[in-house]
Amino acid sequence: MVQDASIYLAGKKLYGDDFTQEQIEEWFKHEAEGYADLWASDYEKYNYAYHKLNAYYGFRHLANHSMRTALGIGSAYGDELFPIAKRLEKITILDPSDTFADVREIAGTPSQYVKPNVQGDMPFEDAEFDLITSFGVLHHIPNVSYVVRECFRCLRPGGIFLLREPMVSMGDWTKPRPGLTKHERGIPLKILRQIVQEAGFEIQQEALCMFSATSAIASKLRIDPYNSRVATLADSALSRVFAWNDRYHRVKLREKFGPTSVYYVLRKPG
């Protein structure tokens, strides 16, 4: 699908964001069941790995916000919403996979699953949700700018959008990459910042996280890094120290030491 990936790998343009309808449909065919096939097809073996990360960068900022309804984009079984589910009256999950469609409640809160529109249109009313979460999902989607604008439309004034995405290329996606879906790619930091601002969001927090060596070190220590508060805090410190390294496509060894993701707390004005 890519003729010349150099402009994308340089982080100057986001691959997929200007696709035609035909290209979007082709992309969607490959990504719809991608995450479920790789990691989440068997709930008995499924382990959500980011509870402490979400608590530190996201949920602790919601203490003073009233919330009744939440939309989880690509939230699989809804585990990411467990920590705040009891504060909600209803949870909606927007996910293309049939794997999760039978889930009817999340930590005791009623939930419903809705399949996304291939074009990115969300089948919801304006200002329908108090909270929207999207953790590591948008980089699986071609037309990121459009989907972010839809999130803005569906969020009530004063509502919060928690967003985490990889800001590195994740390798050259024109070639097979073990453990990754066919088209997923990170979103360059400057481009993602521009996308959320142009959609209308106020940036309440922009934090770099998921230092490149954290998972490897944690594995040796037999720690689940982002389900550990201590490891998450250590990762945060390392990410701040190496925040200068925001290069998108990291090839040389010295380029690879740095935070790999960005975590946003975004607010819709009003």
Side-chain angles (χ1 to χ4, degrees):
M1 192 178 290
V2 186
Q3 296 298 319
D4 181 6
S6 60
I7 190 172
Y8 303 110
L9 292 175
K12 296 178 180 179
K13 192 174 181 180
L14 179 59
Y15 173 56
D17 207 37
D18 58 355
F19 271 13
T20 65
Q21 182 59 39
E22 183 179 359
Q23 288 174 309
I24 291 173
E25 291 175 358
E26 179 63 24
W27 176 304
F28 193 86
K29 290 177 185 177
H30 292 283
E31 294 294 317
E33 297 289 343
Y35 179 74
D37 289 344
L38 281 174
W39 307 110
S41 59
D42 185 351
Y43 189 62
E44 297 300 320
K45 298 179 180 179
Y46 178 69
N47 175 48
Y48 186 74
Y50 305 101
H51 283 305
K52 295 300 182 184
L53 186 79
N54 291 337
Y56 182 71
Y57 289 108
F59 294 144
R60 70 190 177 102
H61 297 284
L62 302 179
N64 298 321
H65 290 272
S66 175
M67 300 180 299
R68 296 183 303 104
T69 58
L71 171 65
I73 298 176
S75 301
Y77 297 104
D79 292 50
E80 67 191 45
L81 293 164
F82 277 11
I84 60 167
K86 294 188 183 302
R87 293 177 58 185
L88 301 166
E89 295 176 8
K90 183 180 179 182
I91 295 171
T92 301
I93 304 294
L94 188 67
D95 200 294
S97 176
D98 291 326
T99 302
F100 319 114
D102 292 333
V103 179
R104 293 290 180 266
E105 58 89 19
I106 296 170
T109 299
S111 64
Q112 67 169 349
Y113 275 70
V114 177
K115 283 186 175 292
N117 182 290
V118 174
Q119 290 78 17
D121 299 310
M122 294 186 181
F124 309 117
E125 299 294 327
D126 293 354
E128 185 168 341
F129 301 101
D130 302 307
L131 172 69
I132 297 178
T133 61
S134 178
F135 300 143
V137 176
L138 294 185
H139 70 283
H140 289 279
I141 296 170
N143 49 340
V144 174
S145 295
Y146 188 83
V147 173
V148 170
R149 290 196 297 271
E150 277 291 274
C151 290
F152 185 86
R153 179 185 66 80
C154 295
L155 193 64
R156 69 164 173 81
I160 298 295
F161 181 23
L162 298 180
L163 173 65
R164 172 175 53 82
E165 285 298 325
M167 61 180 197
V168 295
S169 66
M170 306 175 72
D172 184 347
W173 58 84
T174 65
K175 303 171 184 177
R177 298 163 298 165
L180 299 175
T181 59
K182 183 174 181 179
H183 294 304
E184 66 177 302
R185 80 295 188 225
I187 305 172
L189 178 60
K190 292 178 182 178
I191 292 178
L192 184 56
R193 185 187 299 136
Q194 180 180 355
I195 287 173
V196 299
Q197 289 178 325
E198 289 183 351
F201 285 108
E202 295 176 349
I203 298 177
Q204 295 199 321
Q205 174 182 273
E206 178 188 270
L208 305 187
C209 58
M210 303 184 77
F211 183 70
S212 51
T214 295
S215 292
I217 295 171
S219 179
K220 291 184 180 296
L221 297 174
R222 297 184 178 181
I223 295 173
D224 192 359
Y226 303 116
N227 277 331
S228 162
R229 177 171 171 76
V230 172
T232 296
L233 291 175
D235 178 87
S236 174
L238 286 168
S239 295
R240 289 195 299 272
V241 170
F242 288 87
W244 54 268
N245 183 16
D246 62 354
R247 187 178 181 85
Y248 181 59
H249 188 52
R250 303 176 183 180
V251 179
K252 298 177 181 179
L253 182 61
R254 63 179 175 81
E255 296 173 345
K256 296 183 180 182
F257 286 91
T260 63
S261 293
V262 59
Y263 207 119
Y264 281 107
V265 179
L266 305 170
R267 179 181 179 273
K268 182 174 179 175

